[in-house]
Amino acid sequence: MENAETALPVLKSLCLPPAHPALGRSTGSITVPASHEALVGAYGTGCFDEFVWIFTENAPTARLDIAERTGELRTILRSKELIAVRHDLGDHELHANDLVQWGVTDNADVLAWITRGKPEEWPTAIIQAGQLRAVASPRSSTATILGLLTRSTVVPFFPPDFPGDQPEFATNPYG
């Protein structure tokens, strides 16, 4: 599987970025790996294959803002025991403040980094809507999306028709 440095060129050849990405403006209020900044620099905020949305700081809408969504996720998770999620994520000993939400699916599944160690080494947690189950990926956000679109990463609670045969990226696929 591709690492963070090589994943973006492969992803761009599989799924063309938009000519004019919908970019946010980084204020540094939330730390993100450089590989995610490169992903957002190429694609902007938006949706891969009408299912997986990516976030950035100061996004054009609050629903795509990484800081806003991370704050909401942490508030929700602080009020839950997360027994199943902690079990599924095993060694990560998950706590709400350890997560930065970098994406979401149309089904409300969460894609978040577990912020331990250096940002470029943060693993991705994919948490099912309702916090019922979770899977961990040691990959960056870019490599995780590439893995999902090439089917080398399979998430058991994602719909069977995702991804499509020719994945696309759109800043607003429903607008």
Side-chain angles (χ1 to χ4, degrees):
M1 175 40 78
E2 307 293 329
N3 64 28
E5 292 76 37
T6 60
L8 186 58
V10 175
L11 181 61
K12 288 166 69 175
S13 69
L14 173 70
C15 185
L16 294 176
H20 305 287
L23 300 174
R25 188 176 39 77
S26 178
T27 63
S29 70
I30 202 154
T31 300
V32 300
S35 60
H36 189 76
E37 289 179 9
L39 172 68
V40 171
Y43 287 92
T45 56
C47 189
F48 284 92
D49 214 31
E50 296 184 347
F51 187 65
V52 175
W53 293 82
I54 59 171
F55 303 155
T56 190
E57 224 180 336
N58 292 304
T61 68
R63 69 180 180 85
L64 298 176
D65 187 275
I66 199 168
E68 291 285 327
R69 296 303 296 264
T70 295
E72 290 171 12
L73 175 67
R74 289 174 176 176
T75 298
I76 290 167
L77 294 182
R78 278 189 208 108
S79 68
K80 300 185 181 247
E81 289 188 42
L82 301 176
I83 294 168
V85 169
R86 286 191 176 128
H87 177 267
D88 288 347
L89 295 179
D91 297 337
H92 295 288
E93 298 180 23
L94 181 67
H95 299 284
N97 285 343
D98 295 334
L99 295 175
V100 171
Q101 185 178 358
W102 60 262
V104 70
T105 70
D106 274 357
N107 292 347
D109 307 308
V110 169
L111 293 98
W113 294 297
I114 300 171
T115 59
R116 303 244 175 81
K118 298 175 186 171
E120 288 305 319
E121 297 170 358
W122 289 346
T124 292
I126 303 172
I127 305 170
Q128 185 179 24
Q131 298 85 41
L132 304 173
R133 297 174 59 197
V135 296
S137 168
R139 298 179 183 118
S140 67
S141 54
T142 306
T144 296
I145 288 174
L146 178 60
L148 292 169
L149 295 179
T150 61
R151 295 184 176 98
S152 64
T153 300
V154 176
V155 177
F157 44 86
F158 279 12
D161 62 345
F162 173 80
D165 292 333
Q166 296 180 326
E168 294 182 352
F169 181 85
T171 55
N172 185 3
Y174 309 116

